[in-house]
Amino acid sequence: DVQTLFPDMKQSSIYWNLSKLVEAGYLKRVRTGVYAFNEWKGKTKIALTDDIKRVQEILDESGFEYFISGLDVLQRFMQHVPEQYPMILFVEKTAHEEMVNYLLDGGYHIIKPSEIRQQYEDAILSGNDKKQIVVYDTENFDYEADGIATIEKAFVDLYFSITRNGYPLSLQELVRVYRNLVRLGNIDKKKMITVSTKRNLQSDIRLIVETPYITDAAMQFATILRKE
């Protein structure tokens, strides 16, 4: 009982402080009046799947820069991880052809970003069980470590792939991922906005981050404005 630990503190102050700790991700609300420490607070290390390890093994031998992003980084924040989904991979722009050839030789199915939806559906219908990899070129490696994107970068990349390239994951599922990231305190919203500028998504991501603070009147105003 928190009240016994702070007998001189008003109950309203205790509730206020607890809600702030929940908002900051240090505590999680189990049920009304019951809280638990959030063991995931600040933890960004991901569990490496066999596919991630295999791709890293192949590309590390190439000597070129790369990083894995998207769903592979965020899947522990999902309620239901799809059985099949394309890996999102960023490779050094000047070494695109060589790195793609390494992956093809390794038995992977390479997908162009502009053809994600069609190639994914074709592979499912044809029974092609090769792991699919969507390869993006990049010259920026600011938001990765050891070949794995940061949480913020992974979210922005997955959002881009879904909304711009038809990546096979619903926005509803992405919303659940975002809510879990916020609830568990595993995402830096300011950093995510900064990351989004690299992909010209700052308006989208800023809206996502600031939505809880936008009034219904402002949202209605924006909806009317878009229709004109």
Side-chain angles (χ1 to χ4, degrees), residues 126-142:
S126 67
N128 183 351
D129 59 357
K130 286 185 178 180
K131 177 66 177 180
Q132 298 177 325
I133 301 179
V134 184
V135 178
Y136 290 91
D137 294 338
T138 187
E139 296 175 337
N140 189 307
F141 293 87
D142 292 341

Side-chain angles (χ1 to χ4, degrees), residues 117-130:
R117 185 186 299 277
Q118 188 60 53
Q119 289 198 35
Y120 175 79
E121 291 176 354
D122 289 347
I124 295 297
L125 292 173
S126 67
N128 183 351
D129 59 357
K130 286 185 178 180

Side-chain angles (χ1 to χ4, degrees), residues 5-6 13 38 63 65 70-71 106-107 114 117-118 132 144-145 160 166 183 202 213-214:
L5 298 174
F6 304 98
S13 296
N38 172 22
E65 289 191 277
L71 197 53
S114 60
R117 185 186 299 277
Q118 188 60 53
Q132 298 177 325
E144 63 87 24
F160 182 93
R183 178 175 60 84
Q202 59 269 31
Y213 314 105
I214 300 174

Side-chain angles (χ1 to χ4, degrees), residues 46 52 68-77 148-151 154:
I46 70 166
I52 292 177
I68 295 163
S69 190
L71 197 53
D72 283 285
V73 180
L74 301 171
Q75 62 175 262
R76 71 181 171 90
F77 301 102
I148 303 294
T150 64
I151 294 289

Side-chain angles (χ1 to χ4, degrees), residues 46-60 66 68 72 87 108 148:
I46 70 166
L48 299 181
T49 64
D50 289 340
D51 277 314
I52 292 177
K53 292 177 182 177
R54 178 63 181 142
V55 167
Q56 286 186 319
E57 183 182 325
I58 292 171
L59 296 184
D60 282 346
Y66 71 91
I68 295 163
D72 283 285
M87 178 184 289
Y108 290 97
I148 303 294

